[in-house]
Amino acid sequence: MSYATPFETFGIWAVVAVAVSALGYAIILVFQVLRQDSGTSEMQEIASAIRTGAQAYLRRQFRAILVLIAILTIVLYLTAALAGAEWHISVGRAAAFLMGSLFSATVGYVGMSMAVAANVRVASASRRSVTEALRIAYRAGTITGMLTDGLGLLGGTLIFIIYGKTAPEVLLGFGFGGTLLALFMRVGGGIYTKSADVGADLVGKIELGIPEDDPRNAAAIADLVGDNVGDCAGMAADVFESYEVTMVSAMILGLALQPFDLKWIIFPLLVRGIGVVSSILGTYAVTVWPTKDAFKAMDWSYDLSSLLSTISFAFLAHFYVGDWRVFWSTFAGILLAIGFNKYTAYFTHTDHAPVQQIARSTRTGAATTILSGLGIGFESTVWAILIIVIAILASVLIFAGSGVSYVLYSVALCGIGMLSHTGNNVSMDAFGPIADNANGIGEMSGMEAEARSVMATLDAVGNTTKAITKGIAIASAVIASVSLFGSFITNINVARSELGLSSSGHLSGINIADPIVFVGMLVGGAVPFLFSSLSIRAVERGATAIADEVRRQFSNAGLVRGEVKPDYERAVVICTTAAQKELVGMGLLAVLTPVVVGLLLGAESLGAFLGGVILVGQLLAVFMANAGGAWDNAKKVIEEGKYGGLHSPAHQASVVGDTVGDPLKDTAGPALNPMIKVINLVSVIIAPLVVRISTQTDQLWIGYTLGAAGLVVLGIVVWRSKREN
Amino acid sequence: MSYATPFETFGIWAVVAVAVSALGYAIILVFQVLRQDSGTSEMQEIASAIRTGAQAYLRRQFRAILVLIAILTIVLYLTAALAGAEWHISVGRAAAFLMGSLFSATVGYVGMSMAVAANVRVASASRRSVTEALRIAYRAGTITGMLTDGLGLLGGTLIFIIYGKTAPEVLLGFGFGGTLLALFMRVGGGIYTKSADVGADLVGKIELGIPEDDPRNAAAIADLVGDNVGDCAGMAADVFESYEVTMVSAMILGLALQPFDLKWIIFPLLVRGIGVVSSILGTYAVTVWPTKDAFKAMDWSYDLSSLLSTISFAFLAHFYVGDWRVFWSTFAGILLAIGFNKYTAYFTHTDHAPVQQIARSTRTGAATTILSGLGIGFESTVWAILIIVIAILASVLIFAGSGVSYVLYSVALCGIGMLSHTGNNVSMDAFGPIADNANGIGEMSGMEAEARSVMATLDAVGNTTKAITKGIAIASAVIASVSLFGSFITNINVARSELGLSSSGHLSGINIADPIVFVGMLVGGAVPFLFSSLSIRAVERGATAIADEVRRQFSNAGLVRGEVKPDYERAVVICTTAAQKELVGMGLLAVLTPVVVGLLLGAESLGAFLGGVILVGQLLAVFMANAGGAWDNAKKVIEEGKYGGLHSPAHQASVVGDTVGDPLKDTAGPALNPMIKVINLVSVIIAPLVVRISTQTDQLWIGYTLGAAGLVVLGIVVWRSKREN
């Protein structure tokens, strides 16, 4: 910090102040939401069951991973200490890891708590007016958005203030903690929510033809709990992690650029600070716009935030950095976010050709419905890649001729720009499951049809915003990964020169023309498939267990007539167990695979492994998110009356499509985003150690032994998961 | 050839003699098959309709691509001439391209012609005995197998005899021609066969519940034609191409190794020659074994061939090359083939856990059937990658310490070993569709149940052998591609040094840590998804058209009662049109994408693009082949009586799974294998030109203009294909 100009010192503390203000704003919103009327006692009873189930689940999840987090804290200390770092850096990395996990968990937990408090209030407000229901749901979502912004910005800035030039080593810990927690929340929450949802539908919608959230369905409460632990807690932690990792990579690359000129690192912090202010103003404006269309209001707010930010970024680039290129890179990120929004809407919105096409193919049955969804999902990956490719190429061209370090920094700035309005995104996204839950409470407590139609409208808007947030999150994974590649190579070269190995030695990149390196890439490509396979099958197992339970309870005639209440608790327990079972195993999979590849095949293969994970992870995640979203909305098209409408054969086919899409879009797909980043950060963190072990012939046996041990653990994880089938 | 020892000269001519003998053996078998009794006049009438349809289709297909082939012949001449090659090499490359296409087309056409001649003879023989039916079907398959071996070996060896040290430049043309034709045969045949099959099933099996091949189904003949143009002609051309490309890559790398010692190039030729002899003996033995189990007889024959070859390879390595390492690399290939056989059988055979699991999930309906198939298909890719990775690592370790050229040669030898018993594989594979067709003729001509059960047994065996051949083909694509990477880098470095650019310049590999290179990899990964999306949707469109036609004809009450014959011809025309529509576009996609990437992003990005194509292509191809195969056999499990058997809800769910799997396993998946290789060979061929254009600043505009033009053409191709939806 000693090199900072007075303006820079002021700027950094201003960023801290903005972060704290965001948290303060969140607290104000909490009181505003809680002050609202919380409905009839019947509604409150259902809401309380949801709340209890959701909180019990998250607590159990946190307990389940506690030991792993404790072990990893020590391991993180060792990764720095063994690589020769000073003690305060090693301790800092471990502490930052803890802080990152804690922040991620907090965002998820608080976000979910607000959702389960808001749902019943939205249900109650929907009896009065759309505007009021919208305001409460959106404000509850904004709380999570502000937490995401505030904690992400605060953590990163504080680490920079404390550690200065040595911050990168510590920031890696912060990023890893947040990402790992997000992975657990996404996997656990995703398996929970879709086991309940698919299981409830298999018996309710498909076998018995009763509506969703029918109070006689034993899985009804579990389904509503699932929306909160998956779509709220899981999503919030995941977006927090994306926000944090893009910042970490920009700071690392900025610090590496010009050690004695702080503007390259302070610029991204200021950009993020401005983004938070723009988000506060934008989200505040949502209820002010002269429109009754909820989506339009949120869209306008997003545009307002983007406009405010863009102007401020330009001022900052001109007057502070004195280099317009940083503006263009950040602006490319803003455009990338907008481009991805439009792209996702095209592939998943009911108005456009892809969903219409799937809807049309329901006429010839379930098989063609699935086939056209697969075809469209496959195609959508191509356009996603092209949009990302254009953004990367633009970032490269903006800094063309300045060398690869600047180019990577430029890509990182693109990520900074892209996620600068995370506050808006989270608010828009969290809003959907809250409306959905409110609707469920309405259905279960037998609320009047007009109020429920208000909530259904809000829910439909939420489906689109949800798809958009997922798209942004996965695109940010690729952008962050490309920039982190730079840190990976830097780390390796630094380690090599510290060991006295010529830095002009055989590693100055990742050469996939070398068969051993190519093998790393092949293995990397297989990981997302393995991961998705495990999560899809976990959902299938969970859903089958739920379906059996619902069917068993329905064999009671009193339940069918509505005289006896079902035992909701049992379904909640089944989902909790299903989600917990895979949790630690899948976490180990993400953490251990890069370690094993690095130790057995070397640092360069590890880099190619990373490339394979990013490439295939991105493709699969987009495919699953879009195919799932499109099937979901194709069903909506049929339900609105096309091709025979509700209960027609076309509708049955569309329900099959939707059910297949559910675990793809809400479990397997979203989990790939944090998985990519966990693997990425683990690779960057262990790179120096891998170089150390693999280049000293007398230590080779250590690497191979550890690698083989890791392989055995991975084998056990996969075997256990398969055995349960 | 002037450096060859007398033994080597003798050896090469012996290989030519073996190749010619294989062709001679094929001719003998043709007469043996044609001599058989060709059934009743009713059977002959149906067989003649199938033959007419199949041959008309292939002829139309050849006509459709004639112009493209002519243009490419000139382009191939130019790729060599513009890069500064002597005239006889440029002409040789163009001529070899024509020869490669012609050979590939011949193998496909003759293979199919034999299949349509054999089907009715097998049907007739099945009335007498299993053994006789098996013998005819297998012999007809062996004709194709021998053609594959004979033409592949002959072409490669002749080019080597004529061109000697400069053969690589010409061999590339030979490989490209064979691969491109195979791509067309796979795409066209695949779309044809599955449009007919899925379309016939949509109405016949799903809507009306009538059996497959019911003579009242207007698509019945088209379905049988499809088996021939897809599973026979397409498969034969594809396997020929795999056989040829693994040989081309081994020869190129062998020649590069030690220009003055021919043993590195003569060894793979001798190995292939021995493989053909072993295949002749092995396939001949099939009808000799003391077993009535067709699969066991073929399996034993395969083992016999493997044993004969392994012993001979060892002798050759010891006495001729004097280096046991070449034996071990080739042996690794034989083991890889065996490993892949067992692996595919595990994931797709009715006896094992994966298929059993899918069968179990049919109890909860179509959605869980699809989900468990997706989960298992995803998982299967992981094991496929691991098997390939182990083979590559073994090849690398065998030549460890000898430098990267030897390592790549070792990988190429692994490919040589892997496909040395292509003769057996093709015989086993072609046998399936012949039995299937015979069964169809039996059904349509109302043959007695016993004879039909004989053919059904043979058909079921064919399903497994078909899956095995697909697995081998795709694994060979990865192995060949890894070794061709070496040629790619060599070509680039040679071009650079010819241009006076320092060969220690910035390209000594493909460094994916560079963002522009990474972008190439991202684009490469998208191509297999685009390709699969186009083919799946082409099938869906074709199948819907067929379903509409069958439904329309069924509205005639006389047809339902069996008094009126359906108009089979219309369905044949619909399938032909559906298949033709996509043909040229998808060919252009494979040929142009590497050109565009190379010209716009440079040679290194092109290398990464190739890596992305191989990685994702392999994963998708294996996923689609295995998921499809597993769904197919899960249906068989239900039909054998489990979970309610035929016409139960579980059976309906399994039919949905099978229908979804059909275009995945028989159209999109198999087409990826030649696609990977077309892209690979195009990249190697254009590499010198790309270097030339992109490193001379005054010619940069040429590259960008051509690249942009290519992009426009690609845009039009995709747009046209989407518009037809």
Side-chain angles (χ1 to χ4, degrees), chain B residues 425-447:
Chain B
N425 268 327
V426 174
S427 313
M428 280 163 82
D429 187 331
F431 153 89
I434 294 175
D436 190 359
N437 241 265
N439 201 0
I441 294 175
E443 169 91 38
M444 289 188 69
S445 65
M447 255 169 69

Side-chain angles (χ1 to χ4, degrees), chain A residues 198 202 206-207 346-347 354 357 360-361 363-379 381-383 385-386 388-389 392-393 396 404 407-408 411 478 481-482 485-486 489 508-516 518-519 521-530 532-534 536-537 539-540 543-544 547-548 551 601 607-608 610-616 618-620 623-624 631 655-656 659-661 663-664 718 722 725, chain B residues 198 202 206-207 346-347 354 357 360-361 363-379 381-383 385-386 388-389 392-393 396 404 407-408 411 478 481-482 485-486 489 508-516 518-519 521-530 532-534 536-537 539-540 543-544 547-548 551 601 607-608 610-616 618-620 623-624 631 655-656 659-661 663-664 718 722 725:
Chain A
V198 174
L202 280 179
I206 299 184
E207 288 178 18
Y346 174 75
F347 273 100
Q357 224 167 290
R360 211 160 44 234
S361 66
R363 291 173 309 159
T364 34
T368 44
T369 307
I370 299 293
L371 280 176
S372 62
L374 290 178
I376 281 164
F378 280 2
E379 190 201 323
T381 64
V382 180
W383 307 110
I385 287 263
L386 286 185
I388 293 173
V389 158
I392 296 178
L393 286 181
V396 169
V404 77
V407 165
L408 289 170
V411 175
V478 179
S481 301
V482 172
F485 249 124
I489 298 293
S508 58
I510 302 158
N511 178 14
I512 55 168
D514 177 342
I516 295 277
F518 193 82
V519 157
M521 191 173 92
L522 287 179
V523 175
V527 171
F529 274 92
L530 179 58
S532 304
S533 163
L534 292 180
I536 291 173
R537 283 157 78 184
V539 170
E540 205 219 320
T544 308
D548 287 343
R551 214 179 282 119
L601 300 177
L610 207 50
V613 169
I614 297 166
L615 172 63
V616 177
Q618 140 79 17
L619 287 164
L620 264 190
F623 156 60
M624 296 199 280
W631 273 318
V655 170
V656 171
T659 311
V660 169
L664 302 190
V718 174
K722 281 183 66 72
N725 276 295
Chain B
V198 174
L202 280 179
I206 298 183
E207 287 178 19
Y346 174 75
F347 273 99
Q357 225 167 287
R360 213 162 40 235
S361 65
R363 291 173 310 158
T364 34
T368 45
T369 306
I370 299 294
L371 280 175
S372 62
L374 290 178
I376 281 163
F378 280 2
E379 189 200 324
T381 65
V382 180
W383 306 110
I385 287 265
L386 286 184
I388 293 173
V389 159
I392 295 177
L393 286 180
V396 169
V404 77
V407 164
L408 290 170
V411 175
V478 179
S481 302
V482 172
F485 249 125
I489 297 293
S508 59
I510 301 158
N511 178 14
I512 55 167
D514 178 341
I516 295 276
F518 193 82
V519 157
M521 192 173 92
L522 287 179
V523 175
V527 171
F529 273 94
L530 179 58
S532 303
S533 163
L534 291 180
I536 291 173
R537 283 156 79 184
V539 170
E540 205 218 321
T544 308
D548 287 343
R551 216 180 280 121
L601 300 177
L610 206 52
V613 169
I614 296 166
L615 172 63
V616 177
Q618 140 79 16
L619 286 165
L620 264 189
F623 155 61
M624 296 199 280
W631 273 318
V655 170
V656 171
T659 312
V660 169
L664 302 190
V718 174
K722 280 183 67 71
N725 276 294

Side-chain angles (χ1 to χ4, degrees), chain A residues 117 121 127 231 265 283 353 410 502 552 649 713:
Chain A
R121 292 173 169 82
R127 300 172 123 170
D231 294 345
I265 185 165
T283 52
S410 177
S502 82
R552 193 189 62 78
V713 174

Side-chain angles (χ1 to χ4, degrees), chain A residues 223-463:
Chain A
D223 192 4
L224 293 170
V225 170
D227 290 344
N228 291 298
V229 301
D231 294 345
C232 280
M235 178 280 297
D238 187 13
V239 176
F240 170 77
E241 164 271 314
S242 303
Y243 186 82
E244 186 198 13
V245 170
T246 45
M247 206 164 75
V248 165
S249 69
M251 289 172 78
I252 292 177
L253 291 166
L255 271 166
L257 263 194
Q258 294 196 2
F260 300 104
D261 188 345
L262 289 174
K263 68 185 180 194
W264 303 104
I265 185 165
I266 291 177
F267 176 72
L269 289 177
L270 293 178
V271 161
R272 278 282 159 96
I274 290 171
V276 172
V277 176
S278 305
S279 274
I280 293 178
L281 295 174
T283 52
Y284 184 77
V286 161
T287 45
V288 176
W289 299 110
T291 173
K292 291 218 168 249
D293 180 335
F295 185 71
K296 227 179 238 171
M298 291 188 267
D299 207 29
W300 286 349
S301 290
Y302 198 94
D303 292 345
L304 174 68
S305 298
S306 298
L307 186 70
L308 290 175
S309 293
T310 306
I311 296 169
S312 316
F313 294 171
F315 270 94
L316 210 57
H318 186 75
F319 291 107
Y320 167 52
V321 186
D323 188 336
W324 271 82
R325 294 178 303 176
V326 295
F327 167 74
W328 291 116
S329 302
T330 324
F331 187 56
I334 293 181
L335 291 183
L336 172 57
I338 294 175
F340 234 84
N341 285 357
K342 306 257 177 261
Y343 148 83
T344 308
Y346 174 75
F347 273 100
T348 58
H349 200 285
T350 44
D351 289 350
H352 301 290
V355 171
Q356 293 292 339
Q357 224 167 290
I358 297 180
R360 211 160 44 234
S361 66
T362 58
R363 291 173 309 159
T364 34
T368 44
T369 307
I370 299 293
L371 280 176
S372 62
L374 290 178
I376 281 164
F378 280 2
E379 190 201 323
S380 75
T381 64
V382 180
W383 307 110
I385 287 263
L386 286 185
I387 294 172
I388 293 173
V389 158
I390 289 170
I392 296 178
L393 286 181
S395 309
V396 169
L397 287 178
I398 290 166
F399 275 83
S402 304
V404 77
S405 319
Y406 282 91
V407 165
L408 289 170
Y409 178 71
S410 177
V411 175
L413 279 189
C414 177
I416 287 285
M418 181 177 189
L419 291 188
S420 48
H421 303 115
T422 294
N424 300 52
N425 268 328
V426 173
S427 314
M428 280 163 81
D429 187 332
F431 154 90
I434 294 175
D436 190 358
N437 243 265
N439 201 1
I441 294 175
E443 168 92 39
M444 288 188 71
S445 65
M447 256 170 69
E448 56 279 14
E450 304 90 74
R452 288 191 22 229
S453 108
V454 165
M455 294 181 286
T457 318
L458 296 182
D459 181 20
V461 173
N463 272 341

Side-chain angles (χ1 to χ4, degrees), chain A residues 193-213:
Chain A
T193 180
K194 291 302 133 174
S195 297
D197 187 8
V198 174
D201 286 357
L202 280 179
V203 183
K205 277 197 205 165
I206 299 184
E207 288 178 18
L208 304 172
I210 59 176
E212 191 154 345
D213 301 319

Side-chain angles (χ1 to χ4, degrees), chain B residues 25 56 61 67 78 92 121 180 208 213 235 271 399 452 461 515 519 541-542 566 649 711-712:
Chain B
Y25 182 46
Q61 175 160 301
V67 179
L78 291 175
R121 291 171 170 83
L180 187 68
L208 304 172
D213 302 321
M235 179 280 296
V271 162
F399 275 84
R452 287 191 23 231
V461 173
V519 157
R541 272 201 305 274
L711 209 54
V712 170

Side-chain angles (χ1 to χ4, degrees), chain B residues 409-428:
Chain B
Y409 178 70
S410 178
V411 175
L413 280 189
C414 177
I416 287 285
M418 182 177 188
L419 292 188
S420 48
H421 304 115
T422 295
N424 300 54
N425 268 327
V426 174
S427 313
M428 280 163 82

Side-chain angles (χ1 to χ4, degrees), chain B residues 528-590:
Chain B
F529 273 94
L530 179 58
F531 210 79
S532 303
S533 163
L534 291 180
S535 50
I536 291 173
R537 283 156 79 184
V539 170
E540 205 218 321
R541 272 201 305 274
T544 308
I546 285 289
D548 287 343
E549 175 64 24
V550 174
R551 216 180 280 121
R552 192 189 62 78
Q553 295 201 25
F554 252 108
S555 62
N556 178 346
L559 181 71
V560 180
R561 286 193 301 272
E563 296 161 1
V564 181
K565 272 210 163 185
D567 181 358
Y568 297 127
E569 186 59 30
R570 287 182 69 111
V572 169
V573 171
I574 291 173
C575 287
T576 306
T577 314
Q580 296 299 318
K581 233 186 229 164
E582 305 291 330
L583 211 57
V584 175
M586 289 181 74
L588 281 177
L589 205 63

